[in-house]
Amino acid sequence: MTIDPSTAAFDPLAGLVDRDLLHDLAFVDGQWVGADNGSTFRVDDPATGAEIASVPRMGGAETRRAIEAADRAFLSWRSMTAKQRARILRDWADLMRAHVEDLSLILTVEQGKPLAESRGEIEYAASFLEWFGEEGKRVYGDVIPTPIPGRRIVVLKQPIGVTAGITPWNFPAAMVTRKCAPALAAGNTMVLKPAEQTPLSALAICELAHRAGLPRGVFNVVTGSAEDAPSIGEEMTSNPTVRMLGFTGSTEVGKLLMRRCADSVKKISLELGGNAPFIVFEDADLGVAIDALQACKWRNAGQTCISANRILVQRGVIDEFAARLVEYARGLEVGTGTDEGSQIGPLIDKQGFEKVKAHVAGAIDGGAKVVTGGGPHKLGGLYFEPTVLTDVTPDMVMSCEETFGPVAGLIPFDTEEEAIAIANDTPYGLCAYFFTKDMATGWRVGEALEAGIVGLNTGFVSTEVAPFGGVKESGLGREGSYYAIEEWVETKYFTFAGL
Ligand code: ADP
């Protein structure tokens, strides 16, 4: 990609050491390619609103060709041993780690999160490549004792074929590898569409795949603007060559893609919206609970699907909890992600910013009190103040929908039963957190919460070794861990007769 040296002083990416990681073309069949009609769309830095790149506006035709490339690559990729595939994935992971500073800078500049968080995300993203490469060696089959003489019953786990991935902007690197790593490790090939806000991280990851020796066509990335997403999605879901779709994004789009996949009965893995409860019981260590919010409320400015969205605090400790939380929130450093001291960066775009504002306004209208923050930050642009609200109720919009912003609304409760009832009173069920020192409460509440992921006395639950995913309208299937690789293989029952 070319950057005018005369403007380099204003280029937030000027610090890149390896500029070949920056690509403004899509990656199909091992080649860097533009859209058929040459059109592009802007990628902006949310910290300033300035354009940082323009990448191809692709549609159905380009996606079809990427699927054909993935299909051509499939037979030889599946024929390699899992150990050979693991070697490539390991080299790919190592390259990500070796370029962590450059990858983090690209991620922060297109997404806004603080550099420290981007570094953590790059390590997390690399961990999927490494872990699933190894796990590919353990895609074991089975031999089942026969009930019929002269027979043998064998179960094989085989790759599915060409797969598709669609990823969101909040984790532009980790969501890519969380899909492609298990898919590729199991012997599948993939065509992936990154979010329109953050394609550069996905393209940088492609550059490293190429350097790691990933054969052409095994992993392809097509780019498109928000307007192009439906036609790319339409091709991915209607093309019979694609046998599975992995998606992370909104419940609304997930349902649409699920309906479309029904026509050709594709396998799906969906990680959709959440509405995480965060329950603090009176016997909890309040310091632990407040620290936990760094991981699941303030991180990524609250823009994660496992962000604590409804903070339920038992009445006896709510005043103390609120006071300590306010002190913490006031100490958070808001600023450009590229400033090393920043803890809260800008929100992703105007739409996200307006949603956060509307949720806070709705809560205030409904009787909530602003204890700190409450509006746009004085830095302007897409920065929002770390906000703490009290007297929030479960029926407010901010309690029913994901706010995706640095806003903590406290809801009081009296009993364990009441807390569980409020926590479960949502169509979503991705993640839930609760805090208590009592082990009996721990077991009871942990079992009663309707969520795919439950954190007791922690706000940090993300790791490549554990199954990540939701229940109810938060999705289907799991990503991460040995449960996830099962999503990306077919089970074949193979019987031998006449023995
Ligand atoms: P968010 O609200 O977090 O942006 P979305 O579900 O809108 O979540 O977006 C997640 C991903 O889904 C992005 O890559 C986006 O471009 C893509 N997407 C949005 N609409 C469609 C669609 N109709 N078909 C395929 N992909 C889509």
Side-chain angles (χ1 to χ4, degrees), residues 166-169 193-197 229-230 233 247-250 253 256-257 260:
I166 300 179
T167 51
W169 50 264
K193 189 199 90 61
E196 53 276 10
Q197 297 92 336
F247 170 77
T248 297
S250 61
V253 174
L256 175 87
L257 296 170
R260 294 218 180 116

Side-chain angles (χ1 to χ4, degrees), residues 60 77 97 141 169 192 196 224 285 338 343 366 372 377 415 498:
W77 181 247
R97 292 184 174 118
W169 50 264
L192 182 134
E196 53 276 10
D285 183 325
T338 48
Q343 290 167 291
T372 189
H377 191 271
T415 65

Side-chain angles (χ1 to χ4, degrees), residues 146-160:
T146 173
I148 305 170
R151 289 216 178 194
R152 297 290 181 272
I153 295 173
V154 172
V155 176
L156 302 178
K157 300 281 179 71
Q158 295 185 300
I160 303 167

Side-chain angles (χ1 to χ4, degrees), residues 329-393:
R330 287 192 179 135
L332 287 167
E333 198 64 46
V334 178
T336 311
T338 48
D339 285 348
E340 286 290 354
S342 293
Q343 290 167 291
I344 307 262
L347 297 175
I348 188 70
D349 55 22
K350 189 83 185 136
Q351 202 186 337
F353 186 81
E354 292 302 329
K355 180 180 177 186
V356 177
K357 252 171 68 179
H359 278 201
V360 172
I364 294 168
D365 281 352
K369 294 190 186 63
V370 178
V371 205
T372 189
H377 191 271
K378 61 179 185 302
L379 285 172
L382 299 172
Y383 294 93
F384 202 90
E385 294 176 307
T387 295
V388 178
L389 303 173
T390 56
D391 298 310
V392 171
T393 58

Side-chain angles (χ1 to χ4, degrees), residues 88-398:
I88 295 171
L89 294 182
R90 177 61 197 245
D91 289 347
W92 190 359
D94 287 347
L95 283 167
M96 287 191 71
R97 292 184 174 118
H99 292 88
V100 61
E101 289 304 318
D102 280 349
L103 294 174
S104 302
L105 183 59
I106 292 171
L107 201 165
T108 287
V109 171
E110 69 175 348
Q111 201 272 347
K113 67 177 66 175
L115 273 177
E117 288 186 24
S118 292
R119 292 186 189 107
E121 181 177 342
I122 297 302
E123 170 52 38
Y124 184 43
S127 74
F128 287 111
L129 294 172
E130 179 182 341
W131 198 88
F132 278 108
E134 291 303 310
E135 193 61 12
K137 299 174 184 172
R138 289 182 283 273
V139 179
Y140 299 142
D142 217 345
V143 180
I144 296 175
T146 173
I148 305 170
R151 289 216 178 194
R152 297 290 181 272
I153 295 173
V154 172
V155 176
L156 302 178
K157 300 281 179 71
Q158 295 185 300
I160 303 167
V162 176
T163 65
I166 300 179
T167 51
W169 50 264
N170 58 349
F171 289 91
M175 293 306 99
V176 170
T177 57
R178 197 160 82 175
K179 285 176 181 44
C180 74
L184 270 48
N188 306 288
T189 56
M190 179 174 267
V191 178
L192 182 134
K193 189 199 90 61
E196 53 276 10
Q197 297 92 336
T198 57
L200 303 181
S201 294
L203 297 174
I205 289 171
C206 289
E207 168 68 27
L208 296 178
H210 179 67
R211 292 186 198 175
L214 193 74
R216 59 188 283 185
V218 170
F219 182 58
N220 309 272
V221 168
V222 292
T223 55
S225 68
E227 293 73 44
D228 308 320
S231 52
I232 295 172
E234 172 64 24
E235 185 61 32
M236 286 176 163
T237 51
S238 65
N239 191 315
T241 302
V242 175
R243 293 311 316 149
M244 172 154 174
L245 172 73
F247 170 77
T248 297
S250 61
T251 296
E252 185 195 350
V253 174
K255 286 179 183 175
L256 175 87
L257 296 170
M258 186 175 177
R259 275 195 288 271
R260 294 218 180 116
C261 283
D263 282 340
S264 49
V265 195
K266 296 190 199 313
K267 290 186 85 170
I268 45 173
S269 169
L270 303 174
E271 200 259 275
L272 309 177
N275 184 359
F278 182 102
I279 307 169
V280 183
F281 288 101
E282 276 168 359
D283 73 333
D285 183 325
L286 298 189
V288 167
I290 285 167
D291 285 348
L293 283 168
Q294 177 54 33
C296 69
K297 178 73 269 178
W298 311 116
R299 181 170 69 116
N300 206 359
Q303 303 170 110
T304 90
C305 50
I306 54 171
S307 291
N309 203 54
R310 294 169 295 156
I311 303 177
L312 303 159
V313 188
Q314 207 159 8
R315 212 172 292 273
V317 292
I318 195 162
D319 290 343
E320 185 188 346
F321 185 85
R324 290 172 69 169
L325 182 58
V326 165
E327 194 187 324
Y328 189 99
R330 287 192 179 135
L332 287 167
E333 198 64 46
V334 178
T336 311
T338 48
D339 285 348
E340 286 290 354
S342 293
Q343 290 167 291
I344 307 262
L347 297 175
I348 188 70
D349 55 22
K350 189 83 185 136
Q351 202 186 337
F353 186 81
E354 292 302 329
K355 180 180 177 186
V356 177
K357 252 171 68 179
H359 278 201
V360 172
I364 294 168
D365 281 352
K369 294 190 186 63
V370 178
V371 205
T372 189
H377 191 271
K378 61 179 185 302
L379 285 172
L382 299 172
Y383 294 93
F384 202 90
E385 294 176 307
T387 295
V388 178
L389 303 173
T390 56
D391 298 310
V392 171
T393 58
D395 57 335
M396 290 174 175
V397 179
M398 67 171 287

